[in-house]
Amino acid sequence: MRNFKDYFTIFSKGLAMGAADVVPGVSGGTIAFIAGIYDELLDSISSINFGLIQVFKEDGIAGVWKKVNGNFMLALLSGIAVSILSLAKLLTHAMHFYPIQLWSFFFGLIIASIWYVGVQIKKWDIYAILGLVAATAFVYWLSVTPPLGSNNSYVFLFFAGAIAACAMILPGISGSFILLLLGAYATVITAVGNHDFLTVGVVGLGAATGLISFSTLLKYLLSKYHNTLIAILTGFLIGSLWKIWPWKKDQYVYVKDVGETHSSEVLGEYASLTAFMKNQNTDTFESIKAYVEQNILPGTYETLNPGTSNELISSIIFTILGFSIIFIIEFLATRKNV
C-alpha cells in the first residue's frame, strides 16, 4: 500500500519525465525506464481501452480508477504537467540566448542515455545487431532530412502530437525530437510558454490518442522481442546525435511569415541561425527555422559567425552536466524503486 511519500516520489519522477519530454534530447520513456516505473506506466496506459465500459457498469468510477491505476497516473501526470509548464518559457529563452549551451546539455543527455539503454541488451545476436544498425541509420536519415515547413493547422498538430507521443513512450527516442523533425517543435513549445490552451489541448489530445493506441503494441513487443527492441532503441539514440550537435551551419532556412525557403543570406553576416537569433534584439524563434543544416567544428562556427565568442568551455561543462543527470537519476532509482 503506497503512502504520501511514495506518491511524492512518483510525482518527482514525473517532473523528470516532463523535463525530458520538453527537450529534444532524451525521452520521457527513457527517464521512466531508468527510474524503474516503465513497466507500471505501460501497464497503466494499455489498460485504457473499451473494456473500461464494462468495468464501469459493474464497479462504477471506483472500479475504473483502480483498473487504470489512477493514483499512480495522477501523481505521475501531475509531475509531468508541472514540469512542462514550468520549463517551456525557460527553454524558449535558452534557445534564443544560450543555444550552444542548451544543445550541448541535450548532447550530454543522449550520450549517457545510449550507455544506460545499451547495457540493457542481454544478448548480441544477429537480430540485435541488425536492429541497432538499421535504427541508427534510420534516425540519422531523419536527422539530415529537411523538416516539414511550418504548419500550424490543428489537424497537423493533432497528428504531430500523436506521432510524438508514440516516440515519447519509447525509452530511447524523444517525442520532442520528432516534433523537431516535423517542424512543429517551435509552435508547440511557444504555445505552452504563452499558455495557448487551444493549441496545447489539440496537441495533448493527439498525444493521448497516440499513447493509448501504441502502448498495447509496445507492451507486446517488449514481452516477445525485448532484446531486439532495446537494441533498436539504442540505435535511435545513436542516430539522433547528429541532429543534436550544437555547432551548425545553416545552408537554408524557412521563413514562416512568407512561407518560403531561403538561402542563409537572410541571416546577414551569420552562417548559423543560432548565432543570428542570439544577436537579435527581437525574438525570431517563431518566424525563422533551420531547414538544411551542416554540422561544423566549434572553431569553424566562431569563424563563420562574426562577433560570437568561443563557447567551447561552457559547452563542455553543460555536456558533462547533461551526462551526469542520467546517472544521478539512475543512482537515486536504484536506492529505492517505488
Side-chain angles (χ1 to χ4, degrees):
M1 188 69 178
R2 285 170 168 160
N3 54 33
F4 176 80
K5 182 181 178 181
D6 295 330
Y7 286 115
F8 181 77
T9 302
I10 294 172
F11 175 82
S12 300
K13 292 177 180 180
L15 290 175
M17 286 182 64
D21 289 332
V22 169
V23 302
V26 61
S27 78
T30 300
I31 300 300
F33 196 77
I34 293 171
I37 58 173
Y38 187 73
D39 289 339
E40 184 173 4
L41 174 61
L42 204 57
D43 287 339
S44 299
I45 295 174
S46 61
S47 69
I48 303 174
N49 51 47
F50 290 110
L52 290 178
I53 297 176
Q54 186 62 33
V55 175
F56 177 75
K57 290 179 179 179
E58 295 177 356
D59 302 315
I61 295 178
V64 172
W65 187 259
K66 182 178 180 181
K67 179 69 175 178
V68 300
N69 201 1
N71 290 341
F72 167 81
M73 291 296 288
L74 178 61
L76 189 68
L77 292 176
S78 297
I80 292 173
V82 169
S83 184
I84 290 176
L85 293 173
S86 302
L87 285 175
K89 278 284 189 182
L90 175 62
L91 284 172
T92 301
H93 178 82
M95 283 183 176
H96 188 101
F97 294 103
Y98 306 101
I100 298 296
Q101 291 82 356
L102 183 64
W103 289 106
S104 296
F105 178 75
F106 295 166
F107 197 81
L109 285 174
I110 291 186
I111 292 175
S113 298
I114 289 171
W115 180 87
Y116 185 80
V117 177
V119 297
Q120 311 300 319
I121 303 172
K122 303 303 181 183
K123 181 182 178 182
W124 283 101
D125 54 21
I126 186 63
Y127 300 107
I129 295 172
L130 288 177
L132 178 74
V133 173
T136 300
F138 175 68
V139 175
Y140 170 77
W141 173 76
L142 283 179
S143 69
V144 298
T145 300
L148 298 178
S150 178
N151 188 336
N152 297 331
S153 74
Y154 291 127
V155 173
F156 168 77
L157 291 174
F158 174 87
F159 284 104
I163 296 170
C166 292
M168 180 182 69
I169 196 64
L170 290 170
I173 185 168
S174 167
S176 294
F177 178 63
I178 296 299
L179 289 177
L180 194 68
L181 293 176
L182 292 174
Y185 182 71
T187 300
V188 174
I189 199 69
T190 303
V192 174
N194 292 337
H195 302 126
D196 180 355
F197 295 113
L198 179 58
T199 299
V200 172
V202 170
V203 176
L205 182 61
T209 303
L211 276 176
I212 295 170
S213 303
F214 186 62
S215 59
T216 301
L217 174 61
L218 181 58
K219 184 179 177 181
Y220 171 80
L221 292 175
L222 280 171
S223 64
K224 296 293 184 181
Y225 309 102
H226 183 273
N227 201 66
T228 302
L229 185 57
I230 295 300
I232 291 173
L233 299 177
T234 305
F236 284 163
L237 285 169
I238 296 173
S240 68
L241 285 175
W242 185 264
K243 184 70 176 181
I244 306 299
W245 181 254
W247 296 276
K248 298 181 182 296
K249 174 184 177 182
D250 296 294
Q251 297 171 309
Y252 293 93
V253 296
Y254 183 88
V255 182
K256 171 186 171 184
D257 295 339
V258 295
E260 296 177 357
T261 302
H262 294 270
S263 68
S264 58
E265 292 178 357
V266 300
L267 303 180
E269 62 180 334
Y270 303 105
S272 300
L273 179 60
T274 52
F276 173 75
M277 288 169 52
K278 186 175 181 179
N279 287 276
Q280 296 301 300
N281 293 324
T282 57
D283 192 352
T284 59
F285 182 69
E286 296 181 60
S287 59
I288 301 179
K289 301 176 184 177
Y291 191 74
V292 177
E293 301 173 309
Q294 176 185 348
N295 286 353
I296 57 178
L297 295 174
T300 306
Y301 178 90
E302 184 178 359
T303 301
L304 294 176
N305 296 283
T308 57
S309 59
N310 191 336
E311 299 175 288
L312 181 60
I313 299 300
S314 62
S315 68
I316 292 175
I317 292 173
F318 276 88
T319 299
I320 294 173
L321 178 61
F323 185 88
S324 302
I325 283 178
I326 295 296
F327 291 94
I328 292 172
I329 293 172
E330 179 190 357
F331 172 76
L332 293 176
T334 54
R335 295 194 62 180
K336 183 178 185 296
N337 282 321
V338 176

